Amino acid sequence: MAIEAIKKVTGRAVPVPGADVDTDRIIPARFLKCVTFDDLAEGMFYDERFDADGNSKGHPIDAPEYQGASIMVVGPNFGCGSSREHAPQSIRRAGFNAIVGVSFAEIFFGNSTNLGMPCVGLSPEDNEKLMELVKANPEAELSLDMEKMEVSFAGQVFKAGMDEGAREALVSGKWDVIQELVDRNASIESTAEALPYV
């Protein structure tokens, strides 16, 4: 089965400000009691978005002007804290296809790449400017060019950065390591049969 090469991601954006947003804020621990990741979207930022009675706190993700957004613009050190894979899974399953920020926790970044969800960094100044542009232009589309490593929005172009190995995996369609193994099953079985100890 061919894995999608991710060369460009386009969609409306939502700003999620704040530094050091950790994985417990992204997906509270009580939502981790699941057998599959299928229903994790409902827990994404739950305690940031709702009070104890389930009433909205007015988080940007729930604002009418950002409904349908598929790209998240975040602050520095996003995804820090515990290494729970559920955090990027919840974001992806809520319909987000990319995250633009300043920096990302290493494990969160790797787990996101393994889902085909690019996490790209801007300078702090460019990130702040983009955040303000998104707030001022909620209907505009953001475009992330993974080959040029550029983020375009509202007539502005920002140079982005990302680990080169992860970028290459995404643009070449080799980001899903499990699918890579499945696709090479015949080769794996052939090698195993040739080994005297298997």
Side-chain angles (χ1 to χ4, degrees), residues 77-80 104-112:
N77 197 29
F78 189 80
C80 59
F104 301 88
E106 187 175 351
I107 294 175
F108 178 90
F109 175 88
N111 286 334
S112 296

Side-chain angles (χ1 to χ4, degrees), residues 123-144:
S123 71
E125 297 76 22
D126 284 350
N127 181 256
E128 190 173 327
K129 185 174 183 181
L130 177 62
M131 194 86 71
E132 292 307 312
L133 282 170
V134 170
K135 289 176 185 175
N137 304 276
E139 295 300 319
E141 280 207 330
L142 183 150
S143 181
L144 167 59

Side-chain angles (χ1 to χ4, degrees), residues 72-99:
M72 202 177 282
V73 180
V74 302
N77 197 29
F78 189 80
C80 59
S82 65
S83 60
R84 61 185 67 163
E85 187 181 358
H86 303 71
Q89 285 278 0
S90 68
I91 293 170
R92 187 74 160 119
R93 289 170 189 277
F96 290 93
N97 300 320
I99 307 175

Side-chain angles (χ1 to χ4, degrees), residues 3 110 113-115 169 173-184:
I3 302 169
T113 301
N114 290 340
L115 295 174
K174 295 183 178 178
W175 47 268
D176 187 336
V177 292
I178 301 298
Q179 190 61 51
E180 290 272 299
L181 282 173
V182 170
D183 289 347
R184 287 165 176 74

Side-chain angles (χ1 to χ4, degrees), residues 1-151:
M1 178 177 142
I3 302 169
E4 176 192 3
I6 299 171
K7 298 182 179 181
K8 186 171 275 193
V9 182
T10 302
R12 290 178 46 245
V14 58
V16 180
D20 307 315
V21 173
D22 64 38
T23 53
D24 192 51
R25 288 169 65 190
I26 296 170
I27 182 84
R30 67 185 178 280
F31 291 98
L32 309 187
K33 298 179 280 187
C34 55
V35 177
T36 70
F37 295 126
D38 295 342
D39 298 323
L40 286 180
E42 68 181 76
M44 182 188 67
F45 288 110
Y46 193 89
D47 293 342
E48 306 286 306
R49 296 165 62 195
F50 305 103
D51 65 19
D53 296 320
N55 300 310
S56 175
K57 291 181 177 180
H59 193 280
I61 286 172
D62 298 314
E65 63 267 31
Y66 299 120
Q67 294 310 294
S70 59
I71 299 173
M72 202 177 282
V73 180
V74 302
N77 197 29
F78 189 80
C80 59
S82 65
S83 60
R84 61 185 67 163
E85 187 181 358
H86 303 71
Q89 285 278 0
S90 68
I91 293 170
R92 187 74 160 119
R93 289 170 189 277
F96 290 93
N97 300 320
I99 307 175
V100 179
V102 176
S103 58
F104 301 88
E106 187 175 351
I107 294 175
F108 178 90
F109 175 88
N111 286 334
S112 296
T113 301
N114 290 340
L115 295 174
M117 184 172 65
C119 295
V120 302
L122 306 178
S123 71
E125 297 76 22
D126 284 350
N127 181 256
E128 190 173 327
K129 185 174 183 181
L130 177 62
M131 194 86 71
E132 292 307 312
L133 282 170
V134 170
K135 289 176 185 175
N137 304 276
E139 295 300 319
E141 280 207 330
L142 183 150
S143 181
L144 167 59
D145 189 318
M146 293 295 296
E147 294 180 302
K148 293 181 180 177
M149 284 309 294
E150 291 178 347
V151 173

